[in-house]
Amino acid sequence: AQSVTQLDSQVPVFEEAPVELRCNYSSSVSVYLFWYVQYPNQGLQLLLKYLSGSTLVKGINGFEAEFNKSQTSFHLRKPSVHISDTAEYFCAVTLTQGAQKLVFGQGTRLTINP
Amino acid sequence: DGGITQSPKYLFRKEGQNVTLSCEQNLNHDAMYWYRQDPGQGLRLIYYSQIVNDFQKGDIAEGYSVSREKKESFPLTVTSAQKNPTAFYLCASTPHGAGNTGELFFGEGSRLTVL
């Protein structure tokens, strides 16, 4: 079965600084990968997804992620964060074949300080 | 606009009472899901349904029940048997079948507080 590990539960950064949120997955077969963002008391919104092709994926709000198959990672990055990026971020994985049940990481709380 | 509507957004319940959370979607999606979210624990799957009149238990189904009588609707009942029901509940849906990537579309959530 596939699994996801988000290596940091909380990440504080200053406004306009770069940020990287780390995600590692475990699976013996090929996967699709996702990053979702959750603002307080709201549902989850898709930031970006990797299905196939280019390993560098661009998403909304200036975020991007890179799929690294050899390291089984899908880290999320943004070169310059804004106060409005304060939220919780979830990495998720599903298999490309068979039962497609999305498995989520524990989440990373990103806090932007002025 | 197409989307998923959850109601109510906030709900208070006394211990020993059952409560039903509503989830309606107009995306014409076949599959629907219920997740529970607690601080620091990510999302945990309660129940899911891939087709009308059929549903399966997720990882934490005890104390919950669901029905899927219509494609658009997937209500969740939190029963008095659920020992710790205070949480944020999220409903999601996805198309089913060939070409589906598993990407989930979420509602805005319902926060249940047991007094």
Side-chain angles (χ1 to χ4, degrees), chain B residues 32-101:
Chain B
M32 297 186 74
Y33 302 76
W34 274 105
Y35 287 89
R36 171 180 171 140
Q37 185 177 19
D38 298 279
Q41 295 197 46
L43 276 69
R44 294 184 288 169
L45 182 63
I46 305 172
Y47 269 98
Y48 64 103
S49 166
Q50 294 182 319
I51 196 169
V52 174
N53 293 323
D54 188 41
F55 48 83
Q56 288 78 40
K57 293 182 179 180
D59 303 315
I60 56 163
E62 186 177 349
Y64 299 98
S65 66
V66 293
S67 62
R68 187 84 188 278
E69 296 176 2
K70 299 186 300 182
K71 187 176 183 178
E72 305 80 24
S73 179
F74 191 41
L76 173 74
T77 297
V78 184
T79 75
S80 56
Q82 169 51 234
K83 292 187 182 356
N84 184 18
T86 294
F88 191 54
Y89 291 88
L90 287 160
C91 180
S93 70
T94 188
H96 187 57
N100 180 30
T101 64

Side-chain angles (χ1 to χ4, degrees), chain A residues 9 32-34 36 38-46 49 51 88 90 94-96 99-107 109, chain B residues 9-10 33 35 37 40-43 45 48 50 57-59 88 90 94 97 99-109 111:
Chain A
S9 59
Y32 297 134
L33 292 154
F34 305 84
Y36 284 85
Q38 184 183 34
Y39 300 103
N41 291 311
Q42 292 188 24
L44 276 66
Q45 177 184 358
L46 183 70
K49 59 187 174 186
L51 304 180
E88 187 142 22
F90 291 93
T94 188
L95 304 179
T96 61
Q100 289 174 321
K101 208 164 59 172
L102 211 56
V103 174
F104 288 88
Q106 299 295 82
R109 182 167 300 279
Chain B
K9 191 165 177 65
Y10 298 95
Y33 302 76
Y35 287 89
Q37 185 177 19
Q41 295 197 46
L43 276 69
L45 182 63
Y48 64 103
Q50 294 182 319
K57 293 182 179 180
D59 303 315
F88 191 54
L90 287 160
T94 188
N100 180 30
T101 64
E103 176 185 345
L104 289 177
F105 298 78
F106 284 86
E108 291 292 291
R111 185 167 296 281

